[in-house]
Amino acid sequence: MEKIELLAPAGDLERLKIAVMYGADAVFIGGKRFSLRSRASNFEVEDIEQGVIFAKKYGAKIHVTVNMLPHDDDLEGLQEYIRDLDRVGVYAVICASLYIAKKVVAMKTNLEVHLSTQQSSLNTLTTDFYKELGIERVVLGRELSIKQIETISSNAEIEIEAFIHGGMCSNYSGRCTLSNYMTFRDANRGGCAQSCRWKYHVLENEKVISDADVLFSMSSKDLMAAQYLPQLIKANVASLKIEGRMKSLYYIATVVRGYRHLIDGFYQDPSQLDIEYYIDEITRAENRPVDTGFYEKNPDESGHLYSQKSENVTHDFLGRVLKVDGNKALIQVRNKFEENDVLEFFGPQQKTFKLDFKSAYNEKKALMQNICNVPMEEVWIDLPFIVEENYLIRKG
Ligand code: SF4
């Protein structure tokens, strides 16, 4: 049985490298054109090439989203862009427009063509129809139960990719014009303003009926489907997708690392797999409430955040190791820590290291300080264990 792919998101080259280092088999990114999230993209073709070169060193692949729903004016330069992606060694493009998908197939490049979740593929006949068009993989819609995913994946004649973690839309994935209406920013051309997460007054006959203190929101809870991993693997799903190209470096490292060890643990010995342990690890990075989406049932009010605060800032991420010199490490401070705090260092491996923090040195390795509270400040810390560059530090 071929090992299931772990597919992670990245919003820039730095996060792409972290995703690869922490165990992603493939990373999906969006370029500055033809992609949702294109407004926030940092990937010029040269950056994509750098990402491909880096990923190849780890045996990982790069997928690029070409997933806008284009208007006539948007299509200029598409062919050249696809040729560029092919030239720099991108593995697959993720298309939402059937025109674009078919165009890439017809260009006979080395690129695989994957069909985006925005096509809302929800049954086997549909996924097999896409195979006839020359498409290699279908990303299923998120509006499916685990049983439906199992049925489709077991019977489909095409590779199936399923979401396992990350944000959900309160509309059918991406098929939403809320942002267009509220901000004139087209969600299907890279401009979603996440208007579903805003706070609204509720009016009836022009009279406000919502509580002034508890405004209304339409936000879905994030998806967390780690507990379904054994069923997804047994059903022959080809790839598990983590959503979140806008997420932080700490989030990417923590979530990818958790799923990496969970997947590897399953293949080593499913009977010994402690899924709850990995769920705890993965949710260390979460700052939004999670739910199982459609995996178990159609989400009811418990799957939404109608009135509650939807995001809590997490101060779990304390720092990043920039450099190692013998038993000293240069740390980039991210959140405050002080004397007697326990710092937990972690890298791609499962083992972590705890330090009872006493003091740090400043840049000149001279002045001692027992509190680090300046974000992005660089300080040296003596360590009784060995860490590596790009290890991260969280609260112990
Ligand atoms: S506004 Fe919300 S539901 Fe609509 S596309 Fe954006 S994230 Fe999805």
Side-chain angles (χ1 to χ4, degrees):
M1 189 198 291
E2 198 164 324
K3 203 169 187 179
I4 203 164
E5 175 185 85
L6 178 60
L7 178 58
D12 57 26
L13 200 49
E14 184 186 40
R15 282 173 281 176
L16 180 155
K17 289 179 179 177
I18 287 289
V20 170
M21 282 188 270
Y22 277 76
D25 298 306
V27 179
F28 69 99
I29 60 176
K32 285 188 175 292
R33 301 191 61 199
F34 307 109
S35 166
L36 301 187
R37 306 276 188 231
S38 55
R39 275 168 181 262
S41 171
N42 290 306
F43 284 105
E44 300 284 3
V45 172
E46 297 72 35
D47 303 308
I48 295 174
E49 183 171 22
Q50 291 303 312
V52 170
I53 292 167
F54 184 85
K56 278 189 176 163
K57 284 189 216 151
Y58 287 76
K61 297 165 181 166
I62 298 298
H63 302 186
V64 175
T65 57
V66 186
N67 58 351
M68 66 151 48
L69 297 181
H71 293 216
D72 278 344
D73 296 348
D74 298 323
L75 287 165
E76 202 189 322
L78 174 69
Q79 198 155 319
E80 294 73 18
Y81 183 63
I82 297 297
R83 292 258 178 250
D84 280 343
L85 298 182
D86 187 32
R87 176 180 53 78
V88 302
V90 167
Y91 185 77
V93 288
I94 306 168
C95 307
S97 152
L98 284 179
Y99 166 73
I100 294 180
K102 205 149 177 277
K103 179 85 185 164
V104 181
V105 171
M107 286 171 69
K108 299 198 183 308
T109 65
N110 296 307
L111 295 162
E112 280 201 0
V113 179
H114 297 176
L115 197 67
S116 163
T117 191
Q118 284 174 284
Q119 275 296 336
S120 300
S121 302
L122 303 170
N123 64 70
T124 317
L125 293 176
T126 303
T127 57
D128 287 349
F129 165 73
Y130 292 132
K131 185 178 166 66
E132 290 169 23
L133 300 184
I135 289 165
E136 271 98 354
R137 180 187 291 183
V138 171
V139 188
L140 293 180
R142 279 173 275 201
E143 299 77 18
L144 288 168
S145 69
I146 179 64
K147 285 203 168 20
Q148 291 168 327
I149 296 172
E150 285 178 300
T151 303
I152 295 171
S153 188
S154 302
N155 296 312
E157 293 178 3
I158 190 168
E159 277 190 8
I160 295 296
E161 181 176 308
F163 280 86
I164 195 159
H165 199 94
M168 300 277 281
C169 274
S170 51
N171 286 273
Y172 263 76
S173 300
R175 294 179 173 231
C176 170
T177 51
L178 197 57
S179 173
N180 306 50
Y181 180 74
M182 294 291 178
T183 66
F184 299 107
R185 282 169 50 176
D186 188 347
N188 291 306
R189 285 191 286 174
C192 173
Q194 296 197 312
S195 307
C196 58
R197 297 187 184 184
W198 298 1
K199 306 286 183 215
Y200 295 90
H201 289 288
V202 181
L203 282 78
E204 187 180 78
N205 297 329
E206 298 188 7
K207 184 168 174 267
V208 176
I209 57 167
S210 52
D211 185 329
D213 297 328
V214 191
L215 298 179
F216 177 77
S217 161
M218 290 167 266
S219 181
S220 306
K221 288 184 181 172
D222 282 2
L223 174 68
M224 145 67 94
Q227 58 268 50
Y228 301 101
L229 180 93
Q231 286 144 280
L232 293 163
I233 290 176
K234 284 177 195 160
N236 207 27
V237 169
S239 179
L240 296 175
K241 184 173 221 151
I242 300 168
E243 184 276 345
R245 278 187 281 149
M246 309 295 281
K247 294 287 193 179
S248 70
L249 173 148
Y250 176 65
Y251 178 95
I252 302 287
T254 304
V255 175
V256 169
R257 176 177 176 270
Y259 279 105
R260 175 77 278 145
H261 293 305
L262 175 61
I263 292 169
D264 292 349
F266 178 85
Y267 283 98
Q268 266 162 25
D269 185 355
S271 67
Q272 298 295 315
L273 197 64
D274 180 359
I275 293 184
E276 287 306 317
Y277 167 80
Y278 294 103
I279 288 178
D280 284 351
E281 280 290 308
I282 292 163
T283 47
R284 289 286 301 256
E286 277 295 348
N287 63 344
R288 304 188 80 241
V290 293
D291 190 62
T292 53
F294 288 77
Y295 269 80
E296 213 53 60
K297 60 180 175 26
N298 279 353
D300 55 20
E301 62 274 15
S302 66
H304 287 88
L305 298 162
Y306 287 123
S307 309
Q308 308 96 305
K309 195 164 185 288
S310 66
E311 311 231 353
N312 296 307
V313 178
T314 170
H315 297 290
D316 211 38
F317 181 27
L318 300 182
R320 176 180 181 181
V321 176
L322 297 178
K323 201 193 296 184
V324 179
D325 179 5
N327 66 338
K328 299 180 199 309
L330 180 66
I331 308 297
Q332 182 185 62
V333 176
R334 292 302 184 100
N335 279 295
K336 177 189 161 189
F337 53 89
E338 59 188 325
E339 189 172 358
N340 295 328
D341 282 347
V342 176
L343 276 47
E344 186 172 12
F345 289 71
F346 69 96
Q349 292 76 25
Q350 197 157 357
K351 188 171 168 47
T352 64
F353 303 91
K354 288 194 176 178
L355 176 78
D356 194 1
F357 177 71
K358 295 296 175 207
S359 61
Y361 310 91
N362 72 0
E363 277 173 7
K364 291 175 189 149
K365 297 193 197 178
L367 289 177
M368 304 284 283
Q369 57 191 77
N370 61 1
I371 181 164
C372 297
N373 56 1
V374 180
M376 308 309 277
E377 182 188 18
E378 295 179 9
V379 296
W380 288 88
I381 300 181
D382 289 339
L383 296 174
F385 43 75
I386 303 293
V387 295
E388 292 173 25
E389 207 178 299
N390 287 312
Y391 268 48
L392 302 183
I393 309 166
R394 63 189 180 189
K395 286 181 182 168

